[in-house]
Amino acid sequence: MEPSPSDVLPLLAPELLAATATAEGKRLGSNAAWDAVFGRGELWECLEPEDRRFAGEYLAEAGAGALVTHQVFLVARHHKDLPAPILLNFLPVHVPDAAIGARPVVITGEVLQEPTRWTMDQTKRRRMELLGQMAMGIAHDFNNLLTSILGHVELMTSDPHTEPDAQDQLLTVRRAALDGAALVRKIQRYIRHENEQRFAPLDLSDLVDEVASLTRPYWFNEPRRQGISIRLAKKLHPVAPILGDEAELREVFVNLILNAVQAMPDGGTLTLSTHADGDAYTVAEVRDTGTGMPEATRQRIFEPLFTTKGENGTGMGLPVSYGIVKEHDGAIEVQSESGNGTVFTLRFPARAAESIPAAASAEPTPLADDATSYRVLVVDDEAMVRNVTAKLLRLRGHAVEEASGGTEALEKLADHPFDLVVTDLGMPEMSGHELAYRIRQHHPHLGIVLLTGHTDAEDKSAHVDVVVKKPFQIDALDATIHRVLGST
């Protein structure tokens, strides 16, 4: 019985694979080595769908005159679990007077004699890429949820009938939602291999005090429900500002406080303190009177995946905190003994010459009596996000209509006059970019604001006036609307 093409791959490694094809992927000819690897059917039938797409793109580029070399593809082998790596080059054939895109392309290649580990790494890499794509989709959905949470918080804080105690609790929820948004942006930047740091001067004592309020349910409410008493002692002194990312440092202190609470199953005292170490450093401490830890454990707590919590721990909380502190040019140390509690000491370079900017007001800015109101169309397939966006804009005095998608939006634009459209980017029947393009054809002077939970949506459409990231705050969106319409 004649062996299948993939069964003879190892015997053909020294031979040159060669084929000629059109830019559209039609085979014009091929040698025996090519046929043994790829068969004599369709040009790319042995490749996975994703690799077929890349091969088609490279073929089209070569057909337009570009040289594309050293591209690796994986070809399945029937006799092995792992595919074989094939190195291909796409060479345009320059035919006089040939139309662009009509040039034939010569494809040459070879079967790589890979180490066993190579294809395993390639498979892992592709799985990680798929996982990254899934994570980006989840981050987008999570941004929509945060948009709804933040929007309803702003609606409730704007209600004059909301009790002062409730206002304070709502501001805590607002801060948590903003921190969640910052964490999602960090995940998105990590997946996209971006290392963007947006450090600003901040007061470490204020930050620690804020985290104490944020975590009150964990060190006060929940322990008391279980009959446990944890006392909080704060020794926060005026200190020189540091330069850092507020959301990331808040994540560090939240993690340290939660660890301290878990280390005091019978109750105890949680002490949060800040002080200056000369003029060079600003220091914060998180101290508990809990069970402590033996020296062997203390030396390993910053190791990734190391945990003493069994199935309830991920082993990533302290390593991530350690990494964040290092990104801030800081240091984190731990002192602990079994039965004598634990103290974490965090030391950051002081920025004595920096000034702390005034904190933005947590209250939505009321619409001024002479402020201009506009006719706004809000377009989003997510009813939860669409409704809260419309309510917030109405609160600012705008006349707002809603549409659940691009088709409905175009129908409303045909029947009613509007000053501006606020549209989501990712919608099933028509994307925000496509909607903006179609709006511009009939309403060239209409303002268009694009809302998105993605990180890579800027400057991708000449038809959009500005991109606003989710979750947004109504102050920012309202100011954007006035700026766009003021300029147009």
Side-chain angles (χ1 to χ4, degrees), residues 259-470:
N259 282 350
V261 171
Q262 292 171 357
M264 296 185 287
D266 299 321
T269 300
L270 170 64
T271 304
L272 306 177
S273 61
T274 56
H275 65 270
D277 182 1
D279 295 330
Y281 295 98
T282 294
V283 180
E285 289 186 353
V286 178
R287 182 186 300 267
D288 67 68
T289 58
T291 56
M293 64 186 85
E295 179 62 18
T297 300
R298 189 192 68 81
Q299 292 182 357
R300 298 190 60 191
I301 58 173
F302 296 119
E303 293 181 13
L305 304 181
F306 176 77
T307 179
T308 60
K309 302 175 185 177
E311 296 181 354
N312 296 323
T314 63
M316 291 304 296
L318 287 175
V320 169
S321 297
Y322 179 87
I324 291 174
V325 172
K326 287 298 183 182
E327 287 176 359
H328 287 73
D329 295 326
I332 181 171
E333 301 172 354
V334 57
Q335 295 177 342
S336 184
E337 293 181 9
S338 295
N340 290 323
T342 300
V343 55
F344 283 89
T345 303
L346 292 79
R347 191 180 308 272
F348 300 96
R351 308 283 294 193
E354 301 284 349
S355 60
I356 298 295
S361 172
E363 300 290 342
T365 305
L367 186 69
D369 293 338
D370 60 347
T372 304
S373 62
Y374 296 108
R375 296 162 296 183
V376 180
L377 177 62
V378 175
V379 188
D380 200 312
D381 62 306
E382 293 281 349
M384 180 174 58
V385 178
R386 183 178 70 247
N387 293 340
V388 74
T389 303
K391 288 178 180 178
L392 288 169
L393 291 176
R394 292 188 186 107
L395 187 67
R396 293 308 177 92
H398 301 297
V400 183
E401 291 279 342
E402 300 178 38
S404 60
T407 300
E408 184 181 357
L410 294 174
E411 292 173 353
K412 286 183 177 289
L413 287 169
D415 296 335
H416 305 284
F418 289 94
D419 299 306
L420 180 133
V421 174
V422 176
T423 178
D424 185 35
L425 170 61
M427 297 183 291
E429 62 175 12
M430 186 186 304
S431 73
H433 284 310
E434 183 181 352
L435 174 60
Y437 170 75
R438 296 182 64 173
I439 289 174
R440 285 283 181 250
Q441 292 180 315
H442 301 285
H443 309 278
H445 302 296
L446 193 65
I448 302 178
V449 174
L450 186 72
L451 296 180
T452 177
H454 296 290
T455 60
D456 56 346
E458 293 95 342
D459 304 325
K460 281 196 173 181
S461 173
H463 310 294
V464 172
D465 291 300
V466 67
V467 175
V468 174
K469 294 297 182 61
K470 295 179 181 177

Side-chain angles (χ1 to χ4, degrees), residues 6 9-10 12-13 15 17 37-38 46-47 51 70-77 80 82-88 109-123 125-126:
S6 59
L9 278 177
L12 297 173
E15 295 191 43
L17 282 62
V37 174
F38 288 96
C46 292
L47 300 182
D51 273 357
H70 298 91
Q71 301 300 323
V72 176
F73 299 88
L74 299 179
V75 176
R77 294 179 284 188
K80 290 188 177 182
L82 297 175
I86 310 294
L87 181 70
L88 295 181
E110 59 181 299
V111 180
L112 299 177
Q113 292 288 349
E114 82 286 358
T116 304
R117 183 70 186 171
W118 189 91
T119 48
M120 295 177 64
D121 289 342
Q122 291 298 307
T123 302
R125 177 181 63 83
R126 289 171 184 258

Side-chain angles (χ1 to χ4, degrees), residues 166-180:
Q167 289 276 5
D168 292 341
Q169 295 172 8
L170 287 169
L171 294 180
T172 300
V173 173
R174 178 180 181 271
R175 169 51 60 194
L178 292 174
D179 282 356

